[in-house]
Amino acid sequence: MMMSEKQIEAIGFTEHSRRHAGIVSKWSGEILRSLGAGEDRVRLAEIAGYLHDIGNCINRADHAQSGAILAYNILKRLGCDLESCAEIMMAIGNHDEKYGQPVSDISSALILADKADVHKSRVKKPIDNVFTANIHDRVNLAAERSYISVDREHSSIALNIEIDTQICSVMDYFEIYFGRMQLCRRAAEFLGCKFSLVINGVALL
């Protein structure tokens, strides 16, 4: 994981450190637990969440696939049963919006948790002027808070984000994250829920 952080920092990408891994792990488990999943599924989701970006130690490109194989082999060496290894591998290999698909409850929870972590602290490179920064950095810099809420009774999952619209407009957010939100919608549907995006208290999806 240290090498993943090192490479991400070197290319100036948004933070993918232990902080991100810990948050995604926690939220992945909480999503499934809130929907009534057993603790065995919750634990697998937490492990997948913690390891989901390990492929960044190889290359940012196709990191989901390389990370899936790395995680499988590491967990197998640690004595994890092969079915659980495969479940985690499948979830990690499907968490990125380029090729990813919700193919299990674990992969769906991971997708939602990963895409929910939007926050200004994730921009690590120096920004001289926030208003001239590239749109990816601006979107993250504008995000004051983000979290996932699950309403089991009404079968709904919401991504809630609070943004500073003086830094980034809602349209800027959609320009960058539209593909991710589509994947989140499919992930929520796999879990039998409707997905909504709530920005500054207003439901947009």
Side-chain angles (χ1 to χ4, degrees), residues 115-116 146-148 157-161 173 181 195-198:
K115 306 318 174 197
S146 65
Y147 62 96
I148 286 279
I157 297 175
L159 169 53
N160 303 270
I161 305 175
Y173 182 88
M181 293 304 97
F195 175 74
S196 60
L197 171 66
V198 181

Side-chain angles (χ1 to χ4, degrees), residues 72-86:
Y72 179 90
N73 287 314
I74 290 169
L75 293 169
K76 186 171 70 171
R77 287 201 305 271
L78 290 173
C80 183
D81 67 272
L82 296 183
E83 183 176 350
S84 294
C85 289

Side-chain angles (χ1 to χ4, degrees), residues 3-196:
M3 296 309 294
S4 295
E5 293 177 41
K6 183 177 180 180
Q7 181 155 204
I8 286 295
E9 184 177 348
I11 64 176
F13 209 75
T14 50
E15 172 263 337
H16 283 69
S17 68
R18 287 179 177 85
R19 185 211 68 86
H20 175 65
I23 285 175
V24 174
S25 174
K26 180 175 182 287
W27 288 353
S28 295
E30 286 178 351
I31 289 167
L32 291 192
R33 186 177 288 114
S34 297
L35 292 172
E39 284 302 309
D40 56 335
R41 305 301 289 177
V42 170
R43 174 56 65 181
L44 292 180
E46 290 173 339
I47 295 170
Y50 194 74
L51 296 175
H52 77 284
D53 274 332
I54 195 173
N56 284 314
C57 70
I58 298 173
N59 198 299
R60 177 63 190 171
D62 299 327
H63 73 286
Q65 287 69 45
S66 56
I69 295 168
L70 280 173
Y72 179 90
N73 287 314
I74 290 169
L75 293 169
K76 186 171 70 171
R77 287 201 305 271
L78 290 173
C80 183
D81 67 272
L82 296 183
E83 183 176 350
S84 294
C85 289
E87 287 271 18
I88 292 167
M89 175 180 66
M90 184 167 65
I92 293 174
N94 278 285
H95 84 270
D96 191 63
E97 63 269 18
K98 185 175 181 181
Y99 300 117
Q101 295 290 335
V103 291
S104 69
D105 56 344
I106 296 168
S107 68
S108 298
L110 173 55
I111 287 167
L112 289 160
D114 181 39
K115 306 318 174 197
D117 187 21
V118 186
H119 192 263
K120 58 185 178 182
S121 66
R122 299 195 67 190
V123 180
K124 294 300 184 183
K125 63 185 178 183
I127 302 293
D128 295 327
N129 186 337
V130 66
F131 300 107
T132 59
N134 73 60
I135 191 170
H136 288 86
D137 289 336
R138 225 170 44 247
V139 165
N140 277 282
L141 286 167
E144 301 288 342
R145 184 181 181 221
S146 65
Y147 62 96
I148 286 279
S149 57
V150 178
D151 185 339
R152 183 180 179 186
E153 182 180 354
H154 296 96
S155 300
S156 65
I157 297 175
L159 169 53
N160 303 270
I161 305 175
E162 296 174 11
I163 66 171
D164 181 348
T165 54
Q166 296 298 312
I167 296 175
C168 160
S169 71
V170 173
M171 285 303 297
D172 284 341
Y173 182 88
F174 269 105
E175 181 179 342
I176 295 301
Y177 284 98
F178 182 69
R180 299 181 190 187
M181 293 304 97
Q182 287 182 309
L183 183 56
C184 284
R185 177 179 55 79
R186 294 196 297 272
E189 288 173 351
F190 190 97
L191 295 170
C193 296
K194 294 179 180 179
F195 175 74
S196 60

